[in-house]
């Protein structure tokens, strides 16, 4: 069999998706750096800004299936361009948000909506539709790696902007960068890949949105897959938000937390690309079992070893390799199950479950710390969830129930 190569339209789409994800997720990765300067400027307690971030995550997940349905019906290009425009408006409004209501409207509502149109579910689904099945997981891994690079590069960039220009001007400069998403969306033109296979199962063309949703709801491996993704959301948001605070509690400077997050973003590039490549070679559910198991082992090792600069940065490297490696594999499984016509909507449903985990990972981490002064219970819960993540993927398979 001849080797399947990426078409030129797919390559253009990969480039466009890479830049869009790098911008969208990169700017978002730096939002936590605005908490202290904005709170100090307006005399807020930290709960004001944290609530806006929590609202953003929950809304992002809640509207993702609907944004996905729009992308499936009208095309990713229009949805992403609209999302880029909303993102720009949200950042400009955030730069002038002086009250809790305004920060919830800008950072929470508008940017939450924008992220649902400019992040993984829409972009990876667009790539997945255009890629041949043999290379689908790898193509998603390439796009995911680009988003990871954005997270790595934008963290020090945001710090520099805050230092040189202040938080309000930094947000306005970020808005200018995000506005580039609108023209970049024009690169999302690749058509659905057509394979010369005979059709023996119902095709997505024969089914309505409602029928596909009913089919997904009754497909137990799809439900288990979503529950596994909840684990991912809980762990990455808990560690991403609270690890710097955990280090501060143990006498380390804020610089240690910043370097930790930057290293996670850097090694996430390697992790997501490798996961995508492996997903084309091996069973994706088994790979996910391995990823969640390794996360649990890494957390246990980090907690048992003496806390030092080397163990902190070593943990960052390991977690970076495992951080969003779940994304191309999870979306790849959804494509394997249901085909690609409604991939954005169905991936959005799974992502909503991920964001429920994200909400509780961020919120419970802060609540536990307020009540006890430490994060011991949430660390233990994260380890238990790793075990759960391994177990649920025993019940996930890639059996195709729909053809494109």
């Amino acid at each position: 069999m001849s080797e399947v190569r990426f078409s030129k339209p797919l390559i253009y789409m990969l480039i466009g998706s890479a830049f869009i994800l790098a911008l969208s997720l990169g700017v978002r990765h730096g939002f936590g750096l605005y908490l202290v300067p904005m709170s100090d400027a307006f005399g807020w307690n930290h709960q004001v800004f944290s609530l806006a971030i929590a609202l953003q995550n929950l809304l992002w997940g809640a509207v993702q299936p609907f944004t996905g349905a729009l992308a499936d019906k009208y095309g990713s290009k229009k949805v992403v361009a609209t999302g880029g425009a909303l993102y720009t408006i949200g950042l400009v409004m955030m730069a002038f948000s002086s009250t809790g209501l305004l920060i919830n409207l800008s950072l929470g509502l508008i940017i939450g909506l924008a992220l649902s149109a400019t992040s993984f579910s829409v972009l990876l689904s667009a790539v997945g539709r255009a890629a041949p099945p043999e290379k689908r997981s790898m193509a998603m891994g390439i796009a995911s790696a680009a988003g990871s690079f954005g997270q790595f590069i934008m963290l020090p960039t945001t710090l520099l902007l805050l230092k040189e220009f202040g938080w309000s001007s930094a947000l306005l400069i970020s808005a200018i960068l995000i506005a580039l998403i609108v023209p970049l969306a024009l690169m999302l033109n690749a058509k659905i890949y057509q394979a010369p296979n005979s059709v023996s199962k119902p095709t997505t063309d024969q089914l309505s949105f409602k029928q596909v949703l009913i089919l997904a709801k009754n497909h137990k491996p799809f439900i288990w897959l979503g529950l596994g993704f909840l684990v991912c959301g809980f762990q990455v948001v808990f560690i991403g938000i609270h690890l710097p605070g955990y280090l501060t509690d143990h006498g380390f400077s804020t610089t240690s937390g910043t370097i930790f997050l930057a290293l996670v973003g850097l090694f996430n590039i390697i992790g997501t690309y490798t996961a995508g490549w492996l997903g084309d070679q091996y069973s994706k559910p088994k790979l996910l079992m391995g990823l969640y198991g390794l996360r649990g082992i890494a957390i246990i090792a980090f907690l048992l070893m003496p806390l030092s600069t080397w163990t902190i940065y070593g943990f960052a490297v390991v977690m970076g390799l495992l951080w969003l490696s779940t994304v191309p594999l999870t979306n790849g499984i959804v494509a394997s199950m249901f085909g690609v016509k409604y991939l954005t909507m169905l991936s959005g449903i799974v992502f909503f479950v991920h964001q429920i985990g994200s909400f509780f990972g961020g919120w419970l981490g802060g609540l536990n710390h307020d009540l006890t002064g430490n994060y011991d219970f949430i660390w233990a819960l994260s380890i238990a969830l790793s075990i759960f993540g391994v177990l649920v993927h025993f019940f996930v398979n890639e059996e195709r129930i729909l053809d494109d």
Side-chain angles (χ1 to χ4, degrees):
M1 188 173 97
S2 61
E3 183 180 355
V4 179
R5 297 181 181 274
F6 289 166
S7 65
K8 285 186 178 180
L10 175 57
I11 292 172
Y12 294 144
M13 174 174 278
L14 277 172
I15 294 171
S17 298
F19 278 109
I20 292 167
L21 285 171
L23 287 168
S24 176
L25 299 179
V27 169
R28 176 190 174 269
H29 195 57
F31 280 153
L33 300 177
Y34 291 94
L35 186 153
V36 173
M38 291 192 71
S39 298
D40 289 347
F42 300 113
W44 300 337
N45 59 40
H46 286 191
Q47 291 183 11
V48 174
F49 192 94
S50 298
L51 178 61
I53 289 288
L55 176 63
Q56 178 194 104
N57 277 287
L58 198 59
L59 187 65
W60 178 6
V63 302
Q64 189 68 76
F66 302 100
T67 307
L70 290 172
D72 288 332
K73 186 172 184 179
Y74 298 108
S76 300
K77 180 169 61 176
K78 295 178 181 178
V79 170
V80 172
T82 302
L86 276 175
Y87 207 152
T88 304
I89 293 168
L91 288 169
V92 172
M93 287 184 61
M94 185 179 169
F96 299 98
S97 293
S98 57
T99 67
L101 177 62
L102 286 174
I103 196 69
N104 279 295
L105 178 62
S106 58
L107 179 60
L109 175 63
I110 296 177
I111 295 180
L113 289 171
L115 284 167
S116 74
T118 59
S119 55
F120 283 126
S121 292
V122 173
L123 274 302
L124 294 193
S125 296
V127 169
R129 275 195 291 268
E134 300 90 337
K135 298 292 184 180
R136 185 172 289 151
S137 185
M138 182 178 180
M140 290 180 175
I142 293 171
S144 299
S148 304
F149 178 75
Q151 293 180 47
F152 166 67
I153 200 68
M154 284 304 297
L155 193 68
T157 300
T158 301
L159 276 172
L160 180 63
L161 291 174
L162 285 167
K163 181 179 179 181
E164 295 296 326
F165 302 104
W167 64 267
S168 184
S169 296
L171 285 167
L172 293 174
I173 295 169
S174 297
I176 294 171
L177 292 174
I178 286 296
L180 295 173
I181 289 176
V182 177
L184 284 169
L186 297 175
M187 299 179 72
L188 307 179
N189 271 326
K191 297 179 180 179
I192 293 179
Y193 177 81
Q194 296 292 332
N197 296 330
S198 59
V199 176
S200 57
K201 296 181 175 67
T203 69
T204 50
D205 285 331
Q206 299 169 347
L207 300 175
S208 65
F209 275 106
K210 183 177 180 180
Q211 289 171 319
V212 172
L213 285 172
I214 292 172
L215 194 64
K217 183 188 72 171
N218 294 328
H219 190 54
K220 290 183 179 179
F222 180 73
I223 305 299
W224 291 117
L225 181 68
L227 290 174
F229 218 24
L230 181 145
V231 175
C232 178
F234 185 97
Q235 291 176 332
V236 299
V237 170
F238 165 61
I239 293 173
I241 291 178
H242 295 289
L243 198 281
Y246 174 81
L247 297 179
T248 301
D249 288 348
H250 288 79
F252 290 85
S253 68
T254 54
T255 301
S256 297
T258 302
I259 294 174
F260 174 90
L261 293 175
L263 285 172
V264 166
L266 177 62
F267 282 89
N268 194 24
I269 299 169
I270 301 171
T272 49
Y273 174 80
T274 303
W277 178 79
L278 289 172
D280 286 329
Q281 317 298 321
Y282 305 102
S283 164
K284 286 185 274 294
K286 291 181 179 178
L287 288 170
L288 285 169
M289 289 170 61
L291 284 172
Y292 287 115
L294 288 171
R295 278 192 191 179
I297 293 170
I299 292 170
I300 292 170
F302 175 66
L303 296 175
L304 290 179
M305 288 189 296
L307 197 59
S308 69
T309 300
W310 292 110
T311 57
I312 292 167
Y313 296 161
F315 183 54
V317 170
V318 174
M319 287 306 299
L321 293 172
L322 305 173
W323 196 249
L324 294 180
S325 301
T326 57
V327 173
L329 297 175
T330 301
N331 284 332
I333 292 173
V334 176
S336 297
M337 289 176 176
F338 298 100
V340 296
K341 183 174 176 61
Y342 295 125
L343 177 59
T344 322
M345 177 183 67
L346 295 172
S347 294
I349 293 171
V350 176
F351 183 75
F352 175 43
V353 182
H354 177 283
Q355 290 302 91
I356 292 174
S358 297
F359 176 84
F360 283 106
W363 176 61
L364 289 179
L367 178 64
N368 178 236
H369 190 270
D370 287 344
L371 293 175
T372 66
N374 60 58
Y375 293 103
D376 293 349
F377 173 75
I378 305 301
W379 281 120
L381 183 57
S382 294
I383 295 167
L385 285 172
S386 284
I387 298 171
F388 178 75
V390 173
L391 294 177
V392 295
H393 286 94
F394 272 114
F395 306 103
V396 177
N397 59 61
E398 300 181 70
E399 179 185 357
R400 189 63 168 264
I401 63 172
L402 280 178
D403 282 326
D404 296 323

